[in-house]
């Protein structure tokens, strides 16, 4: 079953038939052909398999996890694929990443969503752990969903990442997080994450070493 679903996910990706002056990859999600311009000089400008896993989940679970008119923020949006798919599914999306990635991110978002979405997504700078209250004040920012794909990898900002999740997450916010397991240091982040959030495995893909998690804040009021 794992291999069948992974094969279906990977079939959503296609490449240009002809070599062009600007490298891009194509994807089929939410009833649209999505063209993503990539760069190979940094992690954040490449589409990683975790993003495809999350996009596939959003599309195939659009009734249970309806995004229509929901406030969504993606952290570490990279090329913007997840934000684009969420927008095409009806969400009000803020796609965030480091300042040096915003130009390519804005290009991809605009190219793939203009006149196609109920709500035009926004692109905004977010450096994990920095100026969170200034740029995303708790009093006025409420997100129904926080989305993250492959944000835990070989980098020294795991403390700042956890702080960012904590700041953006309200009691009723749902975190959808696709993670590729690599090294012990990064894997230990899951344990730290669970000190603040209840964590549930939604899907697991051993052949990709990717797990899709759903999380909500611990201690929230339950109905």
């Amino acid at each position: 079953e794992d291999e069948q679903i992974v094969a279906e996910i990977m079939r959503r990706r296609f490449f240009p038939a002809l070599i062009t002056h600007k490298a891009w990859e194509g994807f089929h999600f939410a009833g649209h052909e999505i063209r993503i311009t990539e760069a190979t000089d940094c992690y954040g400008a490449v589409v990683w398999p975790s993003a495809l896993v999350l996009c596939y989940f959003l599309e195939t679970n659009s009734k249970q996890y309806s995004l229509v008119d929901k406030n969504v923020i993606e952290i570490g949006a990279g090329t913007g694929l997840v934000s684009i798919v969420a927008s095409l599914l009806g969400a009000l999306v803020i796609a965030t990443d480091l300042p040096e990635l915003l130009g390519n991110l804005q290009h991809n978002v605009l190219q793939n969503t203009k006149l196609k979405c109920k709500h035009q997504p926004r692109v905004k700078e977010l450096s994990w752990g920095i100026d969170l209250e200034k740029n995303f004040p708790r009093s006025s920012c409420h997100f129904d969903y926080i989305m993250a794909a492959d944000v835990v990898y070989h980098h020294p900002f795991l403390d700042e990442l956890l702080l960012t999740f904590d700041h953006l997450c309200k009691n009723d916010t749902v975190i959808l997080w696709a993670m590729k397991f690599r090294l012990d240091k990064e894997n230990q982040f899951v344990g730290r994450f669970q000190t603040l959030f209840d964590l549930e495995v939604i899907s697991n893909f051993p052949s990709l070493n990717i797990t899709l998690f759903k999380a909500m804040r611990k201690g929230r009021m339950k109905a």
Side-chain angles (χ1 to χ4, degrees), residues 10-201:
M10 293 307 163
R11 276 196 292 270
R12 302 302 185 93
R13 178 180 234 155
F14 65 93
F15 298 93
L18 299 174
I19 297 175
T20 60
H21 70 285
K22 185 174 286 188
W24 62 271
E25 286 187 70
F27 303 88
H28 290 290
F29 287 109
H32 290 267
E33 179 181 298
I34 300 167
R35 293 192 177 194
I36 296 293
T37 300
E38 298 184 326
T40 57
D41 55 350
C42 58
Y43 289 123
V46 176
V47 176
W48 299 100
S50 292
L52 274 67
V53 166
L54 183 49
C55 289
Y56 181 80
F57 175 83
L58 296 176
E59 180 188 78
T60 55
N61 293 272
S62 59
K63 291 185 178 179
Q64 183 179 358
Y65 292 86
S66 175
L67 297 183
V68 177
D69 298 332
K70 298 295 175 62
N71 289 310
V72 172
I73 185 168
E74 185 187 4
I75 62 174
T79 61
L81 180 61
V82 172
S83 288
I84 291 164
V85 172
S87 298
L88 293 170
L89 291 170
L92 297 93
V93 176
I94 300 178
T96 71
D97 215 312
L98 296 169
E100 59 266 28
L101 296 174
L102 295 188
N104 189 57
L105 175 58
Q106 179 69 66
H107 168 78
N108 286 329
V109 167
L110 188 62
Q111 175 177 265
N112 290 286
T113 61
K114 189 175 182 180
L115 304 179
K116 298 177 183 178
C117 297
K118 184 177 182 181
H119 309 285
Q120 185 61 38
R122 296 159 54 201
V123 170
K124 189 171 181 178
E125 176 185 343
L126 172 53
S127 299
W128 298 338
I130 297 175
D131 292 333
L132 294 174
E133 182 59 28
K134 175 184 176 183
N135 296 323
F136 299 91
R138 289 179 186 268
S139 60
S140 59
C141 288
H142 180 280
F143 299 107
D144 299 294
Y145 290 96
I146 299 170
M147 297 189 183
D150 228 359
V151 292
V152 179
Y153 51 89
H154 184 61
H155 64 72
F157 305 109
L158 295 178
D159 290 341
E160 291 82 356
L161 175 59
L162 187 58
L163 184 65
T164 301
F165 273 124
D166 184 40
H167 179 84
L168 297 174
C169 189
K170 297 285 201 297
N171 283 342
D172 59 347
T173 302
V174 174
I175 299 171
L176 295 175
W177 167 28
M179 175 177 173
K180 183 176 180 67
F181 285 81
R182 295 180 176 91
L183 305 172
D184 285 342
K185 180 182 176 183
E186 286 82 357
N187 298 350
Q188 290 168 7
F189 179 81
V190 175
R192 297 176 55 203
F193 184 88
Q194 287 179 284
T195 64
L196 298 177
F197 302 98
D198 292 321
L199 196 62
E200 173 188 347
V201 174

